[in-house]
């Protein structure tokens, strides 16, 4: 493998001049720059990323931890992170925690050993965990996505789930619904609780009662929505509308309803949350609350870069506002 010394010998210049040309660290005349680049091309020279990272004390690599889920929401956020990394000249190492505390700790240790420049955590099943190891690496910025209160120093990217839950229930109320059920996510997770709190706020403002048989806690997965609808169905009369607190559970609801010969929105209306890509292709297309997934990922990368550049000193919280997307699963009732 060719070295800078080989290039210098072929080009008839010093090794330091070759270094300045390749690293663009100092002005070198066009004539000498052309000679060096031509020599490097003839020798098939490839700069060592490892050597450069040691010299610059930067690896141009970010690490990201995610929890395994069938929910494509996570994949769409990761896509935003990966594309932003690429545009900024960074690599991304993706680790899967599978919801396991020890695996999360091991993955963090591995990323730190690989000397990543920053880390993104998107594994809300670990919400409330204290990760002491970050205190030993104060120069490595950390961004947390989709978590509640944080027990370690970190910037934070999140959507306004309280507003989104309120918006979902308010839309159903505005469409004339008075008997409304809710399939929540795990209520020990901050974002799930906030969506439910927003839902309750809208019903309280409208003076509508809560039927406990129509409020079911579930798991943010398709099977959770499927099982939750079956519990509501078995309890007796159906509500006229159900707010499933993410699109995956809404898909499970539609599947369970179809098995019972029920259709949406003819027999009951259905609202989702997240606006995953496939929501628009469901039959009927799902009315839902949109989260800007690509922008969430992009904001995580931008926040790390700003922290590395020393542009921010205080802990930063970036919050995105959700948006209602009306499609075909909510019927308007006569008032």
């Amino acid at each position: 493998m060719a070295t800078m010394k080989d290039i210098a010998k072929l080009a008839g210049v010093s090794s330091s001049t070759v270094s300045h040309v390749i690293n663009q660290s100092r002005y070198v005349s066009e004539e000498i720059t052309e000679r060096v680049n031509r020599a490097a091309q003839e020798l098939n020279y490839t700069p060592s990323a490892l050597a450069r990272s040691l010299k610059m004390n930067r690896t141009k690599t970010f690490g990201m931890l995610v929890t395994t889920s069938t929910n494509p929401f996570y994949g769409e956020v990761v896509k935003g992170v990966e594309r932003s990394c690429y545009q900024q000249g960074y690599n991304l190492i993706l680790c899967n925690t599978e919801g396991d505390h020890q695996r999360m700790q091991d993955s963090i240790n591995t990323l730190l050993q690989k000397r990543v420049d920053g880390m993104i955590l998107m594994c809300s099943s670990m919400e409330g965990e204290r990760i002491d190891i970050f205190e030993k690496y104060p120069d490595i910025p950390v961004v947390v996505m989709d978590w509640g209160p944080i027990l370690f120093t970190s910037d934070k990217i999140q959507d306004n789930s309280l507003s989104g839950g309120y918006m979902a229930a308010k839309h159903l109320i505005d469409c004339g619904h008075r008997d409304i059920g809710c399939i929540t996510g795990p209520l020990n997770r901050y974002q799930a609780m906030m969506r439910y709190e927003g839902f309750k706020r809208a019903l309280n403002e409208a003076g509508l009662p809560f039927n406990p048989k129509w409020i079911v806690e579930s798991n943010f997965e398709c099977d959770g929505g499927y099982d939750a609808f079956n519990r509501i169905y078995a309890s007796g009369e159906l509500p006229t509308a159900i707010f499933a607190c993410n699109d995956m559970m809404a898909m499970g609801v539609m599947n369970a309803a179809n098995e019972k010969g029920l259709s949406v929105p003819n027999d009951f209306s259905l609202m989702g949350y997240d606006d995953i890509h496939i929501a628009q292709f469901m039959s009927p297309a799902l009315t839902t609350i949109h989260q800007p997934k690509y922008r969430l990922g992009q904001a995580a990368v931008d926040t790390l870069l700003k922290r590395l550049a020393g542009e921010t000193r205080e802990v930063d919280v970036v919050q995105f506002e959700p948006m209602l997307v009306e499609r075909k699963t909510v019927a308007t009732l006569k008032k």
Side-chain angles (χ1 to χ4, degrees), residues 64 66-67 69-84 92 94 122 145 247-248 251 273-282 288-301 327:
M64 183 173 185
V66 296
T67 300
S69 173
T70 57
N71 190 346
F73 167 80
Y74 293 98
E76 292 177 31
V77 174
V78 171
K79 181 179 179 180
V81 171
E82 192 279 331
R83 185 172 295 177
S84 295
L92 180 68
L94 192 63
M122 192 179 182
M145 304 180 70
D247 291 349
M248 294 295 283
M251 291 174 64
Y273 198 111
D274 284 340
D275 192 25
I276 58 178
H277 182 67
I278 60 175
Q280 61 188 305
F281 301 108
M282 293 166 61
T288 186
I289 301 298
H290 174 79
Q291 282 202 73
K293 297 165 287 297
Y294 179 84
R295 288 172 57 207
L296 286 168
Q298 186 180 49
V301 174
R327 294 195 179 106

Side-chain angles (χ1 to χ4, degrees), residues 70-103:
T70 57
N71 190 346
F73 167 80
Y74 293 98
E76 292 177 31
V77 174
V78 171
K79 181 179 179 180
V81 171
E82 192 279 331
R83 185 172 295 177
S84 295
C85 284
Y86 173 76
Q87 292 171 344
Q88 297 293 338
Y90 270 75
N91 297 308
L92 180 68
I93 300 176
L94 192 63
C95 296
N96 171 22
T97 69
E98 295 192 352
D100 180 78
H101 178 272
Q102 186 58 50
R103 184 158 180 174

Side-chain angles (χ1 to χ4, degrees), residues 120-190:
I120 300 169
L121 305 184
M122 192 179 182
C123 35
S124 53
S125 59
M126 301 299 174
E127 189 171 297
E129 294 280 356
R130 183 173 192 88
I131 308 177
D132 295 327
I133 194 170
F134 288 138
E135 304 301 328
K136 300 178 182 179
Y137 294 85
D139 295 332
I140 297 181
V142 178
V143 171
V144 166
M145 304 180 70
D146 203 32
W147 273 14
I150 300 170
L151 302 181
F152 51 91
T153 302
S154 170
D155 294 315
K156 188 173 182 181
I157 312 293
Q158 64 184 20
D159 100 298
N160 189 342
S161 290
L162 179 68
S163 175
Y166 176 88
M167 192 181 301
K170 184 70 164 54
H171 177 65
L172 295 174
I173 294 168
D174 289 344
C175 288
H177 295 276
R178 296 294 179 266
D179 299 326
I180 305 174
C182 182
I183 301 175
T184 76
L187 293 178
N188 63 337
R189 286 164 59 175
Y190 181 78

